[in-house]
Amino acid sequence: MTDQDVLSRARYIFTTGRMIHDRIMRISTGACMSTSKEDRFGELSAPQMNMLMMIRVRETVSVTELAALLNVSPPSVSTMVDRLVERGLLTRVPSDQDRRKVVIRVSPEALEDIARVEEMILGAFVDLVEAVGPETTQKWCEVLRQIKQVLENK
């Protein structure tokens, strides 16, 4: 494969991946905007929603770890966390491993809201899987399995 072929395929993968990412963000942001202003989950920004999802997947995370994951400064993360704690979406608790360290968790109440958004996103993927059919879906899963393995080894 020539360098031009590699570049062309990389660009195609990037733009298609971006379309998928944008679709997920539209669904999650739409779900947040569709709730009332009085709801603790209403009107979250895309970065706030991204932060919540990231914390939920990891269960607990420190401000420093979260800053590294989001590629932003710890003070910026701390400010975002403060806002989400005030809304009842996150909690700050002492670490189980080191009582001097504080970790961030998604509040139990917010877990239900996040599960609702994840179900909406999953529904969009179900629609996509049904649209491309079982053979293409199988190939897609095989490719993603290989990509996941490469990324986990980096």
Side-chain angles (χ1 to χ4, degrees):
M1 194 174 347
T2 68
D3 288 347
Q4 189 60 37
D5 290 338
V6 170
L7 181 60
S8 176
R9 290 176 185 187
R11 183 172 285 118
Y12 182 78
I13 291 167
F14 171 75
T15 56
T16 304
R18 190 79 214 164
M19 286 174 66
I20 293 169
H21 174 269
D22 292 347
R23 176 79 176 132
I24 291 168
M25 293 308 293
R26 277 194 308 274
I27 292 167
S28 62
T29 303
C32 294
M33 296 306 286
S34 69
T35 58
S36 69
K37 289 183 181 180
E38 295 80 35
D39 186 341
R40 71 181 163 276
F41 207 62
E43 297 188 352
L44 286 180
S45 67
Q48 289 172 324
M49 188 64 193
N50 186 38
M51 178 185 282
L52 278 173
M53 296 290 206
M54 214 172 258
I55 296 167
R56 194 204 60 73
V57 167
R58 287 162 181 81
E59 294 186 10
T60 62
V61 66
S62 70
V63 168
T64 304
E65 293 165 338
L66 190 56
L69 288 168
L70 296 171
N71 201 27
V72 297
S73 70
S76 294
V77 167
S78 188
T79 300
M80 283 179 70
V81 167
D82 288 344
R83 287 185 185 131
L84 296 176
V85 167
E86 288 172 12
R87 293 180 71 167
L89 295 167
L90 296 177
T91 60
R92 291 180 189 255
V93 295
S95 168
D96 294 336
Q97 288 80 30
D98 181 352
R99 298 305 246 176
R100 296 169 294 173
K101 187 176 173 182
V102 173
V103 293
I104 302 154
R105 290 187 177 144
V106 175
S107 71
E109 301 82 13
L111 287 173
E112 292 177 23
D113 295 326
I114 292 172
R116 179 179 48 84
V117 173
E118 287 176 339
E119 283 297 316
M120 293 171 73
I121 294 168
L122 183 59
F125 275 92
V126 167
D127 293 345
L128 186 56
V129 164
E130 289 173 345
V132 300
E135 188 176 312
T136 301
T137 298
Q138 179 62 35
K139 291 175 188 175
W140 190 11
C141 288
E142 289 171 17
V143 169
L144 288 176
R145 203 172 293 113
Q146 290 178 13
I147 291 169
K148 181 179 178 184
Q149 192 172 32
V150 168
L151 293 174
E152 287 175 344
N153 291 328
K154 286 198 172 217

